[in-house]
């Protein structure tokens, strides 16, 4: 009798295990959240210090074209205009996405609609390989192949937005391709049969039904690609030229937000204006990746509504 | 009445497995023909032969002859796209595209290169009226077709097929995924268009077959057992197997 009472009034072994498991999960979640929050906090406070501690105007920072944080200009103002880097970052990102998307879609369609078996068998490993290559290798190939090639074909130094775009093109291609493949595969088979049964050819079915139904997914893929391109530092730094100048074309050396960060971060002391200015660049990067994330969510929601 | 489709000794195999063992069936113009039979007897398979949808399945082999009027459906030079415009198909699951109602119905016309807005508008309206769905969608033409009920979606699919003005309409269990009221509406739709189209419908619903069809074909394990006027088949079937099936002894 007492034994039953004891069993009923005290938590069982299973309950204990349950509690223990839950405890561990919450602990991990707590730790990760703390990490994320502290990163956000750190970048934000540091990034804002330029404006709060050093009293640089936000507008000057965003629209100025001179970047030389360690020196004052002739009026005694710090030279921290980030516009050249912002422009360059957006240029390489958008150009890389624009160039990569048609190729990615071609490959994705080949793998899903045209030759699913053969295509997947050959191209899947290629894509996985491209993802796995470290960015320093891409940068190195860019530096030793693409930059000289551009120099010989178009003149100039070869460094610049064009070189950056080409390197990023190869790097975002697998991202856009594999996400597009997923979204095309998710288009139900019966849309295809309905279209074919109405007398559509295979191509008409692909571009009028399959691509159209997969559009939200494909847009998401492109944005993921752009977000990767925007954040890529090392490979870009090796081919972009790293001169903080307003780009005058695709062939002049320039600098992206990321490349400036990697070049500069080792040469400044914490708490000084040059250092704070770099943190402000990091803050822009952070905000941009937030924007990319929000875009993905918005498109995902819209797409979900349509189905 | 003239025959619009004639098929003779059609054998079909999926890989090594033969699913149709020599079926000969003719369809008269502007008739409604019902195909009945237990699950797996080859009704869908036979239906898909008529617009060559079986071509999409790997390893399918078809012998025998099938003609639409006097044109061989399986002749080497046949234009499949043209064939499928003349022989439309409605599937078991309502499968409208995730576009607006209007775009769904106009789809086949746009494929054919029709760009004139007036022609499109008119054909969309006529088709939706024929499919007995116009009143329910006329104020929502630009809404996504998937936001309608299953029964409405199925009638939109019927309208989508009618818009192409096919000669023959194939329906593979068009009401099996629908509630009785929606099914009745689809039946009304078919009665509505029976004078202009030749209709071949697969159904598991005996009442449905008897209500709407002029002729009925009973298939069993890949063979045609009996093919006659619907009234006759339901009242005095020639074959014992038919009468057993109709009386629910198997299937
Ligand atoms: N794609 C396919 N590949 C291989 N075998 C198939 C395929 N489709 C159908 N079959 C086979 O062919 C035979 C006839 O199938 P079918 O779908 O035509 O039957 P059905 O009469 O339409 O049945 P139901 O009433 O269940 O729809 C079945 O034995 C089935 O297993
Ligand atoms: Mg079937």
């Amino acid at each position: 009798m007492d034994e039953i009472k004891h069993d009923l009034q005290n938590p069982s072994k299973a309950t204990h295990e349950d509690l223990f498991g839950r405890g561990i999960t919450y602990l991990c979640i707590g730790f990760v959240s703390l990490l994320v929050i502290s990163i956000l906090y750190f970048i934000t406070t540091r990034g804002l210090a330029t404006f709060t501690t050093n009293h640089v105007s936000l507008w000057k920072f965003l629209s100025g074209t001179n970047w030389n944080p360690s020196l004052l200009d002739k009026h005694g103002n710090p030279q921290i205009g980030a516009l050249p880097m912002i422009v360059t970052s957006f240029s390489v990102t958008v150009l890389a996405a624009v160039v990569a998307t048609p190729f990615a879609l071609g490959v994705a369609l080949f793998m899903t609609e045209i030759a699913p078996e053969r295509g997947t068998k050959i191209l899947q490993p290629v894509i996985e390989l491209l993802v796995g290559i470290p960015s320093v290798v891409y940068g190195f190939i860019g530096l030793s192949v693409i930059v000289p090639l551009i120099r010989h074909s178009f003149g100039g130094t070869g460094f610049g937005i064009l070189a950056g775009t080409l390197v990023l093109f190869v790097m975002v291609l697998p991202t856009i391709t594999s996400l597009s493949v997923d979204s095309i595969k998710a288009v139900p088979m019966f849309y295809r049969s309905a279209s074919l049964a109405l007398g559509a050819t295979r191509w008409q079915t692909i571009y009028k039904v399959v691509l159209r139904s997969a559009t939200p997914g494909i847009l998401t893929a492109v944005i993921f690609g752009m977000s990767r391109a925007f954040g890529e530092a090392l490979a870009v730094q090796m081919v972009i030229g790293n001169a903080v100048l307003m780009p005058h074309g695709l062939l002049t050396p320039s600098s992206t937000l990321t490349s400036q960060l990697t070049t500069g971060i080792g040469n400044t002391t914490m708490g000084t204006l040059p250092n704070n200015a770099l943190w402000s660049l990091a803050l822009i990067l952070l905000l941009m990746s937030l924007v990319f994330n929000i875009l993905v969510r918005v498109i995902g929601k819209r797409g979900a509504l349509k189905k | 009445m003239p025959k619009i489709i004639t098929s003779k000794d059609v054998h079909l195999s999926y890989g090594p497995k033969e699913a149709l063992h020599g079926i000969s069936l003719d369809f008269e113009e502007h008739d409604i023909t019902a195909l009945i039979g237990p699950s797996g007897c080859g009704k869908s398979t036979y239906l898909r032969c008529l617009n060559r949808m079986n071509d999409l399945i790997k390893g399918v082999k078809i012998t025998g002859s099938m003609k639409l009027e006097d044109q061989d459906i399986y002749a080497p030079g046949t234009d499949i796209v043209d064939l499928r415009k003349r022989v439309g198909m409605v599937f078991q699951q309502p499968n409208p595209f995730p576009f607006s109602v209007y775009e769904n119905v106009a789809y086949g016309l746009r494929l054919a290169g029709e760009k004139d807005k007036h022609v499109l508008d008119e054909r969309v309206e006529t088709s939706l009226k024929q499919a007995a769905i116009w009143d329910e969608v006329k104020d929502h033409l630009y809404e996504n077709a998937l936001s309608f009920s299953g029964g409405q979606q199925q009638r939109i699919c019927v309208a989508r097929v009618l818009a192409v003005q096919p000669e023959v309409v194939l329906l593979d269990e068009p009401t099996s995924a629908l509630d009785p009221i929606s099914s009745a509406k689809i039946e009304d739709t078919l009665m509505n268009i029976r004078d202009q189209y030749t209709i071949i419908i697969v159904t598991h619903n005996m009442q449905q077959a008897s209500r709407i069809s002029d002729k009925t074909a009973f298939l069993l394990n890949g063979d045609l057992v009996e093919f006659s006027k619907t009234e006759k088949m339901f009242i005095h079937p020639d074959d014992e197997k038919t009468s057993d099936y109709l009386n629910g002894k198997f299937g």
Side-chain angles (χ1 to χ4, degrees):
Chain A
M1 203 54 201
D2 272 356
E3 208 172 293
I4 294 173
K5 193 173 161 201
H6 178 266
D7 276 354
L8 283 176
Q9 286 183 343
N10 290 289
S12 69
K13 190 163 168 260
T15 315
H16 272 300
E17 279 175 356
D18 191 39
L19 279 177
F20 182 68
R22 241 195 275 187
I24 289 188
T25 329
Y26 284 134
L27 207 70
C28 295
I29 294 176
F31 181 71
V32 172
S33 315
L34 200 70
L35 210 64
V36 172
I37 290 170
S38 47
I39 290 175
L40 290 179
Y41 174 79
F42 195 68
I43 296 181
T44 314
T45 48
R46 289 278 155 190
L48 289 178
T50 315
F51 311 110
T52 54
T53 320
N54 305 104
H55 303 292
V56 174
S57 97
L58 179 63
W59 177 244
K60 279 236 177 85
F61 175 71
L62 291 178
S63 67
T65 52
N66 290 320
W67 178 267
N68 204 346
S70 50
L71 295 174
L72 300 180
D73 67 6
K74 49 184 184 287
H75 306 293
N77 293 321
Q79 307 177 39
I80 55 164
L83 190 63
M85 288 165 282
I86 298 177
V87 170
T88 309
S89 271
F90 275 99
S91 307
V92 289
T93 303
V94 171
L95 286 174
V98 166
V99 180
T101 304
F103 286 92
L105 281 184
V107 175
L109 283 176
F110 187 80
M111 286 171 64
T112 50
E113 303 291 316
I114 296 165
E117 276 153 34
R118 223 162 15 107
T120 310
K121 209 152 90 198
I122 302 169
L123 290 170
Q124 191 71 36
V126 173
I127 289 174
E128 279 159 15
L129 191 74
L130 284 180
V131 174
I133 296 176
S135 40
V136 65
V137 175
Y138 282 112
F140 192 62
I141 296 174
L143 189 62
S144 46
V145 180
I146 295 180
V147 171
L149 198 70
I150 293 176
R151 187 174 345 163
H152 290 308
S153 342
F154 302 106
T157 59
F159 292 100
I161 293 182
L162 182 61
T165 301
L166 291 178
V167 168
L168 285 176
F169 157 71
V170 186
M171 296 182 74
V172 301
L173 190 65
T175 311
I176 304 185
T177 307
S178 55
L179 289 173
S180 298
V181 165
D182 291 346
S183 75
I184 291 174
K185 272 192 186 152
V187 174
M189 219 34 226
F190 54 75
Y191 289 168
R192 297 178 179 86
S193 8
S195 170
L196 292 169
L198 283 163
T201 61
R202 199 150 73 135
W203 271 113
Q204 287 173 322
T205 303
I206 288 175
Y207 71 77
K208 291 195 178 208
V209 175
V210 177
L211 284 184
R212 202 167 148 185
S213 315
T215 304
I218 292 170
L219 280 180
T220 308
V222 173
I223 291 173
F224 266 113
M226 287 173 72
S227 135
R228 175 152 197 228
F230 201 80
E232 175 54 42
L234 202 51
V236 176
Q237 190 213 359
M238 291 167 80
V239 300
I240 198 87
N242 300 308
V244 191
L245 301 168
M246 203 61 183
H248 292 292
L250 301 181
L251 299 170
T252 56
S254 46
S255 187
T256 61
L257 294 164
T258 48
S259 70
Q260 189 51 35
L261 264 173
T262 41
T263 325
I265 206 84
N267 308 326
T268 57
T269 2
M270 201 75 166
T272 60
L273 174 62
N275 187 264
N276 287 346
L278 289 179
W279 281 109
S280 301
L281 298 185
L283 185 60
I284 299 184
L285 283 171
L286 183 73
L287 291 179
M288 268 318 291
S289 55
L290 205 67
V291 169
F292 284 131
N293 265 314
I294 292 172
L295 274 180
V296 166
R297 297 206 160 234
V298 169
I299 292 172
K301 266 219 189 98
R302 282 260 202 90
L305 277 187
K306 269 177 101 186
K307 295 246 162 92
Chain B
M1 260 204 265
K3 299 208 182 338
I4 184 160
I5 288 182
T6 48
S7 62
K8 217 176 251 134
D9 199 28
V10 174
H11 288 259
L12 179 146
S13 37
Y14 293 110
K17 191 176 138 226
E18 191 171 88
L20 300 178
H21 315 301
I23 295 204
S24 305
L25 261 178
D26 296 347
F27 301 91
E28 281 172 14
E29 216 172 349
H30 299 175
D31 256 3
I32 297 186
T33 307
L35 301 183
I36 62 170
S39 196
C41 68
K43 307 178 294 291
S44 302
T45 300
Y46 179 78
L47 205 68
R48 284 199 303 265
C49 290
L50 297 172
N51 65 346
R52 292 190 60 169
M53 284 303 273
N54 279 329
D55 291 15
L56 304 176
I57 301 169
K58 261 210 176 138
V60 169
K61 249 206 232 80
I62 302 170
T63 59
S65 99
M66 277 199 155
K67 282 186 179 158
L68 175 62
E69 289 177 323
D70 31 328
Q71 181 192 339
D72 188 348
I73 295 178
Y74 283 90
T78 307
D79 181 353
I80 301 185
V81 166
D82 181 62
L83 169 74
R84 291 188 184 145
K85 281 182 182 144
R86 295 175 65 191
V87 183
M89 183 167 220
V90 177
F91 296 79
Q92 179 170 6
Q93 285 295 329
N95 58 356
F97 302 123
F99 315 152
S100 70
V101 175
Y102 186 97
E103 282 306 315
N104 264 283
V105 181
Y107 184 80
L109 297 169
R110 290 201 198 276
L111 287 182
E114 184 59 68
K115 294 210 174 70
D116 189 336
K117 184 91 174 83
H118 291 292
V119 179
L120 287 172
D121 284 353
E122 199 205 299
R123 286 276 279 283
V124 167
E125 182 175 340
T126 323
S127 313
L128 287 166
K129 278 181 177 156
Q130 284 181 321
I133 179 80
W134 174 250
D135 289 332
E136 289 154 70
V137 300
K138 64 170 187 270
D139 299 323
H140 313 279
L141 285 179
Y142 299 99
E143 271 169 43
N144 196 309
L146 296 181
S147 61
F148 292 88
S149 77
Q152 289 171 322
Q153 289 184 20
Q154 191 64 303
R155 278 177 286 151
I156 291 170
C157 292
V158 174
R160 182 172 67 183
V161 169
L162 297 184
V164 191
Q165 297 183 321
E167 295 155 51
V168 181
V169 180
L170 312 174
L171 303 105
D172 193 352
E173 303 184 43
T175 63
S176 66
L178 307 181
D179 65 275
I181 294 175
S182 303
S183 306
K185 286 194 175 148
I186 298 275
E187 287 180 25
D188 290 344
T189 302
L190 297 181
M191 302 309 267
N192 218 2
I193 60 171
R194 67 186 309 163
D195 295 335
Q196 297 147 64
Y197 300 91
T198 306
I199 296 170
I200 306 173
I201 178 173
V202 170
T203 178
H204 273 285
N205 182 331
M206 297 307 131
Q207 282 84 27
Q208 184 172 66
S210 65
R211 270 195 302 268
I212 62 174
S213 67
D214 303 298
K215 287 192 170 168
T216 300
F218 173 54
L219 274 67
L220 186 60
N221 297 329
D223 287 306
L224 176 67
V225 176
E226 191 166 345
F227 179 46
S228 54
K229 283 225 165 354
T230 301
E231 283 162 49
K232 170 165 187 305
M233 177 169 316
F234 278 77
I235 299 167
H236 302 292
D238 285 332
D239 198 293
E240 201 177 330
K241 280 178 280 188
T242 315
S243 114
D244 285 352
Y245 180 69
L246 291 175
N247 292 320
K249 292 207 179 132
F250 66 94

